[in-house]
Amino acid sequence: DAMVIQNPRYQVTQFGKPVTLSCSQTLNHNVMYWYQQKSSQAPKLLFHYYDKDFNNEADTPDNFQSRRPNTSFCFLDIRSPGLGDAAMYLCATSRATKRTGESGYTFGSGTRLTVV
Amino acid sequence: GESVGLHLPTLSVQEGDNSIINCAYSNSASDYFIWYKQESGKGPQFIIDIRSNMDKRQGQRVTVLLNKTVKHLSLQIAATQPGDSAVYFCAEIHNQGGKLIFGQGTELSVKP
């Protein structure tokens, strides 16, 4: 089945130690998103790639970076994780064209990040 | 660890009753709306969507109503079942940039 896969499901990292979360998709969607979701809160958009174009949200800290080496993969890099970065990180994809707009939003199961 | 989260609004219903979950959206220019169901430890799961040129759309046991005048969206679940217990989020697409932005969730609890 076509899907969005996030690895690992659970990640423990040390305070200040760089960590990378990964997302892959078999949907061939051209847009990929990273969301941060803290306990009892709505997912908050960090940034997204529209094809190869990177779009950062204005309030996303510089500590968060992303890479998209090809259509299928997207990575979230946290350069120096703090305790406040502990959260669920969700990857999503969508298919977008200028003519039809966006559709097919699909989420992965998320990676729960713990910072110790 | 994580910072303390906000308390989600909670809706508690009896099994078999109908549920109505409401959402106020922020951007009058949004033209596409989605309801998601999120179970504990899982990613959001698509339930139903609606475009701004419609005011009602029905799925299996679910109906979404859109009132653009007051920027209000609702999700109706018929004959609510214990498996419907989850957090429900509305989300809107800002048509400038196509970003999916989530509203505050509602926790639905179904009593057997």
Side-chain angles (χ1 to χ4, degrees):
Chain A
D1 286 345
M3 56 176 53
V4 179
I5 301 167
Q6 290 189 244
N7 284 307
R9 287 295 309 276
Y10 301 93
Q11 174 75 56
V12 180
T13 191
Q14 290 181 331
F15 181 94
K17 183 176 181 180
V19 65
T20 295
L21 309 182
S22 72
C23 177
S24 64
Q25 54 127 340
T26 59
L27 296 158
N28 203 31
H29 282 173
N30 60 326
V31 190
M32 295 186 78
Y33 308 80
W34 278 104
Y35 288 84
Q36 179 193 63
Q37 186 177 26
K38 296 190 176 181
S39 179
S40 299
Q41 296 184 26
K44 178 179 180 297
L45 182 63
L46 295 173
F47 26 59
H48 72 282
Y49 274 94
Y50 191 114
D51 296 317
K52 295 181 180 179
D53 294 333
F54 178 71
N55 299 272
N56 199 30
E57 292 301 296
D59 56 354
T60 298
D62 291 340
N63 198 25
F64 292 86
Q65 304 286 320
S66 187
R67 296 170 284 136
R68 188 180 186 186
N70 54 52
T71 300
S72 301
F73 286 88
C74 195
F75 300 99
L76 170 62
D77 300 310
I78 308 177
R79 294 194 294 189
S80 181
L83 297 180
D85 296 327
M88 172 80 89
Y89 290 88
L90 294 162
C91 175
T93 71
S94 72
R95 179 179 53 252
T97 71
K98 286 183 169 42
R99 183 177 65 84
T100 63
E102 293 72 26
S103 63
Y105 284 91
T106 305
F107 281 82
S109 297
T111 294
R112 180 163 294 283
L113 179 69
T114 300
V115 182
V116 297
Chain B
E2 283 187 38
S3 59
V4 175
L6 303 171
H7 289 288
L8 288 169
T10 300
L11 174 66
S12 184
V13 300
Q14 204 70 35
E15 181 178 359
D17 287 352
N18 297 333
S19 303
I20 300 176
I21 301 171
N22 296 303
C23 175
Y25 63 92
S26 59
N27 191 332
S28 57
S30 294
D31 61 357
Y32 180 43
F33 305 88
I34 306 175
W35 277 101
Y36 285 95
K37 173 185 180 183
Q38 188 175 28
E39 297 172 290
S40 181
K42 297 184 179 179
Q45 177 188 356
F46 174 93
I47 301 173
I48 192 168
D49 60 359
I50 189 168
R51 301 247 173 220
S52 60
N53 60 352
M54 303 172 69
D55 53 21
K56 180 179 179 178
R57 189 158 187 235
Q58 287 185 291
Q60 186 178 16
R61 275 202 313 120
V62 294
T63 301
V64 55
L65 299 177
L66 174 63
N67 185 331
K68 294 183 287 294
T69 303
V70 294
K71 294 191 287 186
H72 183 268
L73 201 63
S74 69
L75 176 70
Q76 299 177 2
I77 305 174
T80 314
Q81 302 167 1
D84 295 326
S85 294
V87 177
Y88 289 80
F89 290 99
C90 65
E92 60 185 299
I93 309 298
H94 293 186
N95 59 8
Q96 291 184 359
K99 298 180 293 187
L100 183 67
I101 304 297
F102 283 82
Q104 184 183 33
T106 296
E107 183 171 8
L108 177 66
S109 175
V110 182
K111 295 177 286 188

